[in-house]
Amino acid sequence: RKGKTKPQTQEPPSQSPQSSGPTKFTRASINSFFAAKEGFRKFQHEGIDIEAKQGTKISFSVGGTIIASYPSNSTSKNSNGGYGAFVDLKLDNGKIIRMSHLSKIFPWVKSGAKFGPNEVVALSGGKPGSPGAGRSGGPHIHFEQHEMSGLGIEETMENKVDPLKAGAFDFIQQGGTLKQNISSLQSTPG
């Protein structure tokens, strides 16, 4: 084998999570399904739980509008009825969503605020005892889909459907870009 060299193969450049863009959550990331009655639950589950590390950026593949946000720095399990910090939003395709157990809701996320595709709306949470976790056994996103009732937003938010069957799960992603000028929302030079 003297004189022969093995051909060099060039490895593709590695991409960091920041440069690769958002990725959709998979069904394998769901650790509790709609209507499940696990032993620790008093009632059937009214959403799905998506496993996500604490602080994971959450975005959607389509834009939308914030209906309401409910930040919480409380470490109480009963914060906001057990939801902890949560956001209600309507995607541009009409799907209405609630996400809870969030570790961060950005200051711009308020009723009526618009967001574009791939713009980060919040950071996942759920680590027991951490601010915004609410009643949670570990890091995840509680994800609900609601159908329009025709009676108003309060009634709509009571009308929960399976986000896998009704389609909202297809639009949530991990990663994304922070909204433009977010740093100016957090501090202004003086």
Side-chain angles (χ1 to χ4, degrees), residues 74-146:
S74 174
T75 56
S76 167
K77 287 185 175 184
N78 295 319
S79 171
N80 286 334
Y83 280 115
F86 68 100
V87 173
D88 295 336
L89 55 93
K90 182 176 183 180
L91 298 179
D92 288 341
N93 60 16
K95 301 201 181 302
I96 297 172
I97 294 165
R98 172 171 285 171
M99 300 184 301
S100 65
H101 309 307
L102 304 172
S103 64
K104 173 119 179 116
I105 298 173
F106 294 101
W108 67 266
V109 177
K110 296 182 187 312
S111 181
K114 305 266 187 210
F115 59 92
N118 307 325
E119 283 186 336
V120 176
V121 174
L123 303 181
S124 66
K127 181 179 176 186
S130 67
R135 192 176 310 114
S136 173
H140 73 283
I141 305 158
H142 175 76
F143 188 77
E144 298 176 1
Q145 182 173 348
H146 301 259

Side-chain angles (χ1 to χ4, degrees), residues 12-139:
S14 65
Q15 292 187 340
S16 69
Q18 288 100 1
S19 65
S20 62
T23 57
K24 292 193 181 278
F25 286 99
T26 65
R27 287 179 181 249
S29 64
I30 299 171
N31 57 24
S32 181
F33 289 85
F34 186 79
K37 182 80 168 73
E38 292 102 349
F40 62 92
R41 295 188 192 280
K42 291 181 182 176
F43 305 102
Q44 289 183 331
H45 198 201
E46 295 182 325
I48 60 175
D49 288 346
I50 304 168
E51 189 175 330
K53 290 181 183 175
Q54 185 86 1
T56 298
K57 293 177 183 176
I58 306 166
S59 65
F60 293 87
S61 58
V62 297
T65 304
I66 304 300
I67 296 171
S69 66
Y70 303 87
S72 172
N73 288 322
S74 174
T75 56
S76 167
K77 287 185 175 184
N78 295 319
S79 171
N80 286 334
Y83 280 115
F86 68 100
V87 173
D88 295 336
L89 55 93
K90 182 176 183 180
L91 298 179
D92 288 341
N93 60 16
K95 301 201 181 302
I96 297 172
I97 294 165
R98 172 171 285 171
M99 300 184 301
S100 65
H101 309 307
L102 304 172
S103 64
K104 173 119 179 116
I105 298 173
F106 294 101
W108 67 266
V109 177
K110 296 182 187 312
S111 181
K114 305 266 187 210
F115 59 92
N118 307 325
E119 283 186 336
V120 176
V121 174
L123 303 181
S124 66
K127 181 179 176 186
S130 67
R135 192 176 310 114
S136 173

